[in-house]
C-alpha cells in the first residue's frame, strides 16, 4: 500500500490507497493503539493494527448463527448501541465477513466464555463458542465505546486490532444483602447493569436474615407480610414477589449473569421465627429485629415442621431459579448446638439435592458431610474451608479481610464496617486466590465472590459507594490471569473509568490512591 502525507493550511491529510483521513490541528486524533485501551478486566491478549474504526456510518448487527440466544443478544446490543451513540444499529441475518457492521459469529474453535473481538476499519467481529462468550466480547466492545466517548455528533472512534480473551475462573460473583436493608427491583437492576460491564457472571442475593425475609413464599405467606415488614434501623423493609424475583432473574440472564438465591439458616433466622411461632423450639414467636447483632437466632433442628418449612421454601425458590446453585447460608449459628447444626445442615443439603440444585454454604458447613460438588464459601476461617476441601467440596473465595465490599476503605470512610480490615482499593486488588491459603489450591477453587452486606447502606448511592471501584478489581482478579495483574498498571487503567462509572450512575469512591481522569 502506498501512503503519502501533505500539509495543507494547518490540516494534515494522510492518504492511503483506499482510505483518506483528515484531522485539523487541535482536533483530537482518532485512537489507534488498542493495546493502550484501559479495559478492566485486562484481556489475555491484544494485537493492535494501528488504524481506527468510526462508529458514525450506518451499521447493522449480522448474526452468524441465527440462534434464539443470539437474536436476543443482538436486540440488547442494538439498544445499547443506540443509547451510547444515538445511531441505530439495524439487524440482519448472516452476512459476508467484509460487510460494514458488527458481526456476531458462533465458532467451534472457542469454548465457554472465551471470545475473539476483531476491530477492523469497516467492521467489527465477535467470535465465540457460545452466546455467553459473545456477550463477554460485547462487554469489552461496550467498555471501549464508553471509554472513548462520543463526540457531539455521536461519533466514536475505536482503535483497530484483535483481542483474544478468556476467564481465569468460571465463577466471578458479587453478593448483595437485600435483607439488612431492602433494595428495590430497580436498584438491583441498576447494580446488575454495572456489574455486567466488568464481566461479573453471578449475583448472589442474600434474601433472608434476622432483620427481614425478602422473597415471597406462597405456602408460608407471613414470611413476607410480617417478616419482610422492617429492616435495620426500623424502616419499612419490603420484599420481592415471585414475579419480581423472576423479573430480576430474566434481567440478569439477558446480561449473562446467574442469580444465586440464599436463604440463610439455621441461624440468622429471626424474621422467619417471628413470622411462624411453630419454627421456634419453645413455640413462641420473637419480636421482629432491627438491630445489627448476629448469632442469636436458630431454627429448631429437632422439629419435623422445620424440614417441611425448608422443603417448601427451597422447592418454591428452585422452581423460579434457572441457575444451578442454591445457597443455604449456615454462618454464625452461635446458639445452635453442634449436633443440631450438623443435623440441620445435612438435611438442608439433602433438600437442595432433591430439587436438583448444587448447594453453596458459608465455610461453617464443613462440619456436616458434604455431597460431591457442594460449594463452601470461604469468608472467615481457612481451617473450615480446608476441611470442606478435604471432604470434596469446591471453594468460593470471599475472604472478609480482602474481598468484603462492606469494609471501610480507610479510617475516614463513613459507610461500612471495619471488623475484618480496612480494605483500600489496592488491598482489595492485590491478592491472589490461588495463593492465599496453602491448603486451598487452584484445583479446588470455583471462583471469587465479593459480598456487600447492607447493615450501613440503604440505597443505590450508598451501595455503589462501597462497591465501586473495588468491585472492578475483584472482577479483574476473577477474569484475568495472575501474571497480567499488577497494581501500578491497574491504577492507571482504573483512573480512566471515572466517567464510565459516573455515566452508569455509580456514586463511586474517588479514592486518593488513583489519579482520576476528568
Ligand atoms: C458472614 O459474613 N457472616 C458470612
Amino acid at each position: 500500500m502506498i501512503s503519502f502525507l501533505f500539509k495543507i493550511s494547518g490540516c494534515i491529510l494522510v492518504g492511503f490507497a483506499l482510505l483518506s483521513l483528515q484531522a485539523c490541528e487541535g482536533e483530537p486524533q482518532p485512537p489507534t493503539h488498542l493495546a493502550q485501551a484501559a479495559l478492566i478486566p485486562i484481556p489475555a491478549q491484544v494485537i493492535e493494527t494501528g488504524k481506527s474504526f468510526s462508529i458514525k456510518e450506518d451499521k447493522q448487527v449480522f448474526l452468524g448463527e441465527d440462534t434464539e440466544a443470539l437474536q436476543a443478544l443482538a436486540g440488547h446490543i442494538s439498544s445499547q448501541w443506540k443509547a451510547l451513540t444515538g445511531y441505530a444499529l439495524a439487524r440482519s441475518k448472516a452476512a459476508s465477513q467484509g460487510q460494514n457492521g458488527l458481526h456476531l459469529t458462533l465458532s467451534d474453535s472457542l469454548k465457554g466464555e472465551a471470545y475473539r473481538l476483531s476491530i477492523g476499519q469497516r467492521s467489527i467481529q465477535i467470535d465465540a463458542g457460545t452466546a455467553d462468550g459473545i456477550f463477554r466480547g460485547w462487554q469489552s466492545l461496550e467498555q471501549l465505546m464508553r471509554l472513548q466517548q462520543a463526540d457531539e455528533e455521536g461519533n466514536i472512534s475505536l482503535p483497530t486490532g484483535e483481542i483474544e480473551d478468556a476467564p481465569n475462573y468460571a465463577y466471578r460473583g458479587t453478593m448483595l444483602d437485600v435483607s439488612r436493608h431492602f433494595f428495590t427491583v430497580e436498584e438491583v437492576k441498576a447494580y446488575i447493569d454495572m456489574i455486567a460491564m466488568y464481566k461479573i457472571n453471578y449475583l448472589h442475593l442474600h434474601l433472608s436474615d434476622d432483620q427481614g425475609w425478602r422473597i415471597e413464599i406462597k405456602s408460608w405467606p407471613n414470611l413476607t407480610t410480617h417478616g419482610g415488614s422492617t429492616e435495620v434501623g426500623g424502616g419499612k423493609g419490603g420484599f420481592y414477589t415471585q414475579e419480581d424475583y423472576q423479573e430480576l432473574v430474566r434481567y440478569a440472564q439477558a446480561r449473562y449473569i446467574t442469580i444465586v438465591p440464599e436463604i440463610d439458616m439455621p441461624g440468622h433466622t429471626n424474621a422467619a421465627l417471628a413470622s411462624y411461632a411453630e419454627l421456634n423450639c419453645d413455640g413462641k414467636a420473637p419480636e421482629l429485629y432491627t438491630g445489627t447483632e448476629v448469632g442469636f437466632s436458630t431454627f429448631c433442628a429437632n422439629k419435623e415442621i422445620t424440614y417441611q418449612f425448608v422443603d417448601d421454601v427451597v422447592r418454591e425458590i428452585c422452581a423460579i431459579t434457572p441457575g444451578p446453585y442454591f445457597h443455604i447460608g449456615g454462618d454464625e449459628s452461635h446458639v445452635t448446638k453442634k449436633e443440631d447444626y450438623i443435623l440441620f445442615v445435612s438435611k438442608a443439603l439433602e433438600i437442595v439435592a432433591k430439587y436438583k440444585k448444587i448447594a453453596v454454604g458459608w465455610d461453617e458447613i464443613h462440619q456436616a458431610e458434604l455431597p460431591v460438588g457442594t460449594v463452601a464459601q470461604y469468608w472467615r476461617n481457612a481451617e473450615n474451608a480446608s476441611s470442606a476441601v478435604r471432604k470434596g467440596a469446591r471453594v468460593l473465595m470471599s475472604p472478609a479481610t480482602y474481598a468484603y465490599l462492606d469494609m471501610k476503605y480507610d479510617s475516614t470512610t463513613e459507610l461500612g464496617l471495619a471488623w475484618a480490615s480496612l480494605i483500600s482499593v489496592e488491598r482489595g486488588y492485590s491478592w491472589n486466590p490461588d495463593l492465599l491459603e496453602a491448603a486451598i489450591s487452584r484445583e479446588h477453587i470455583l471462583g471469587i465472590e465479593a459480598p456487600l452486606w447492607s447493615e450501613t447502606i440503604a440505597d443505590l448511592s450508598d451501595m455503589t459507594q462501597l462497591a465501586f471501584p473495588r468491585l472492578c478489581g475483584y472482577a479483574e482478579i476473577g477474569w484475568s490471569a495472575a501474571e497480567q495483574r499488577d497494581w501500578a498498571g491497574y491504577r492507571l487503567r482504573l483512573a480512566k473509568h471515572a466517567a464510565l462509572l459516573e455515566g452508569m450512575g455509580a456514586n463511586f469512591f474517588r479514592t486518593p490512591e488513583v489519579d482520576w481522569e476528568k
Side-chain angles (χ1 to χ4, degrees):
M1 189 183 288
I2 308 160
S3 69
F4 45 94
L5 188 118
F6 296 116
K7 181 151 182 164
I8 313 167
S9 62
C11 291
I12 296 172
L13 179 70
V14 183
F16 298 98
L18 293 171
L19 169 93
S20 78
L21 187 147
Q22 210 172 348
C24 288
E25 274 172 9
E27 276 184 20
Q29 299 293 311
T32 50
H33 292 295
L34 188 59
Q36 286 171 14
L39 285 169
I40 297 176
I42 193 166
Q45 193 183 68
V46 180
I47 298 168
E48 51 181 46
T49 47
K51 303 279 190 318
S52 79
F53 169 94
S54 163
I55 271 165
K56 202 167 184 172
E57 302 146 58
D58 285 340
K59 298 282 189 299
Q60 292 191 300
V61 188
F62 297 106
L63 305 176
E65 301 279 337
D66 198 8
T67 65
E68 213 175 286
L70 280 197
Q71 291 270 0
L73 187 45
H76 174 79
I77 291 176
S78 2
S79 66
Q80 293 294 97
W81 187 283
K82 179 90 201 296
L84 285 170
T85 65
Y87 288 99
L89 197 54
R91 305 255 307 269
S92 177
K93 298 216 171 130
S96 65
Q97 300 224 338
Q99 238 168 315
N100 281 9
L102 172 60
H103 301 254
L104 309 179
T105 309
L106 290 175
S107 129
D108 288 342
S109 62
L110 293 161
K111 300 274 173 279
E113 292 178 280
Y115 69 90
R116 184 182 313 109
L117 169 62
S118 315
I119 305 175
Q121 284 175 268
R122 307 225 170 262
S123 69
I124 299 180
Q125 168 118 6
I126 304 174
D127 294 302
T130 62
D132 204 334
I134 302 262
F135 184 76
R136 303 301 163 212
W138 160 246
Q139 287 313 115
S140 289
L141 179 57
E142 184 182 348
Q143 209 181 85
L144 284 171
M145 289 166 69
R146 287 178 182 264
L147 288 168
Q148 289 302 332
Q149 298 193 355
D151 63 22
E152 307 86 67
E153 284 149 31
N155 187 35
I156 299 179
S157 297
L158 301 176
T160 59
E162 191 167 288
I163 293 176
E164 288 254 6
D165 206 6
N168 190 21
Y169 298 108
Y171 189 118
R172 307 172 304 279
T174 180
M175 185 209 81
L176 183 61
D177 171 9
V178 297
S179 181
R180 269 49 176 276
H181 280 97
F182 180 66
F183 299 98
T184 63
V185 168
E186 290 314 311
E187 286 175 315
V188 179
K189 283 183 177 175
Y191 191 56
I192 289 172
D193 282 334
M194 295 176 204
I195 67 177
M197 178 61 54
Y198 293 95
K199 301 190 174 72
I200 296 287
N201 63 348
Y202 285 89
L203 175 63
H204 164 184
L205 291 176
H206 183 77
L207 291 165
S208 71
D209 211 302
D210 291 317
Q211 297 85 348
W213 186 284
R214 307 297 180 206
I215 173 118
E216 176 190 26
I217 302 297
K218 293 187 194 283
S219 52
W220 297 75
N222 219 27
L223 287 170
T224 41
T225 50
H226 185 60
S229 65
T230 193
E231 62 185 5
V232 165
K236 71 178 175 41
F239 66 91
Y240 307 120
T241 62
Q242 293 200 356
E243 289 69 32
D244 290 338
Y245 175 82
Q246 284 174 287
E247 191 181 327
L248 284 176
V249 165
R250 281 192 298 270
Y251 193 84
Q253 242 175 353
R255 287 145 189 83
Y256 291 80
I257 290 172
T258 302
I259 299 284
V260 179
E262 178 188 353
I263 296 299
D264 200 353
M265 37 192 187
H268 287 277
T269 42
N270 192 77
L273 295 165
S275 305
Y276 287 98
E278 58 269 44
L279 298 176
N280 294 269
C281 280
D282 64 4
K284 292 197 194 111
E287 294 295 308
L288 291 171
Y289 181 70
T290 61
T292 58
E293 295 299 312
V294 297
F296 61 88
S297 55
T298 184
F299 281 154
C300 192
N302 299 303
K303 277 186 162 179
E304 201 43 50
I305 188 80
T306 299
Y307 301 105
Q308 184 53 53
F309 170 83
V310 174
D311 193 291
D312 287 338
V313 168
V314 175
R315 172 177 51 77
E316 288 197 31
I317 296 176
C318 288
I320 52 174
T321 301
Y325 299 111
F326 187 97
H327 200 305
I328 61 165
D331 58 322
E332 298 175 311
S333 286
H334 300 324
V335 294
T336 317
K337 284 199 209 112
K338 182 169 180 176
E339 65 268 29
D340 288 350
Y341 179 87
I342 292 173
L343 172 69
F344 179 89
V345 169
S346 305
K347 289 195 175 226
L349 290 171
E350 270 171 34
I351 292 169
V352 170
K354 174 175 160 193
Y355 293 106
K356 308 272 183 286
K357 296 293 181 195
I358 300 167
V360 188
W362 299 104
D363 60 49
E364 290 96 323
I365 65 161
H366 81 101
Q367 297 169 78
E369 283 314 307
L370 303 176
V372 174
T374 301
V375 179
Q377 187 164 9
Y378 168 38
W379 68 282
R380 188 156 203 188
N381 188 315
E383 244 322 294
N384 288 351
S386 310
S387 156
V389 163
R390 288 194 294 278
K391 290 181 172 181
R394 290 173 299 163
V395 180
L396 189 53
M397 297 296 281
S398 304
T401 50
Y402 289 97
Y404 264 30
L405 287 167
D406 61 312
M407 292 298 114
K408 291 176 183 291
Y409 291 92
D410 59 38
S411 60
T412 68
T413 315
E414 280 177 25
L415 298 170
L417 303 173
W419 62 262
S421 177
L422 296 174
I423 303 182
S424 64
V425 174
E426 179 175 3
R427 180 178 175 83
Y429 177 77
S430 307
W431 62 286
N432 182 345
D434 296 350
L435 305 178
L436 195 68
E437 303 294 345
I440 307 170
S441 50
R442 175 82 199 186
E443 74 262 30
H444 310 125
I445 298 177
L446 175 64
I448 162 174
E449 184 177 288
L452 179 51
W453 300 97
S454 64
E455 284 93 334
T456 68
I457 58 173
D459 57 24
L460 184 65
S461 167
D462 292 352
M463 194 202 288
T464 55
Q465 170 82 181
L466 285 181
F468 292 99
R470 285 182 295 201
L471 193 56
C472 307
Y474 302 125
E476 180 149 309
I477 295 175
W479 181 276
S480 310
E483 311 78 73
Q484 287 190 284
R485 306 195 302 262
D486 82 296
W487 168 247
Y490 175 72
R491 71 182 274 285
L492 297 179
R493 277 182 290 123
L494 185 57
K496 295 185 163 43
H497 282 245
L500 189 156
L501 287 166
E502 237 162 42
M504 289 195 301
N507 173 31
F508 73 99
F509 175 56
R510 284 179 178 266
T511 174
E513 302 161 86
V514 171
D515 300 321
W516 297 101
E517 284 191 12
K518 291 270 177 300

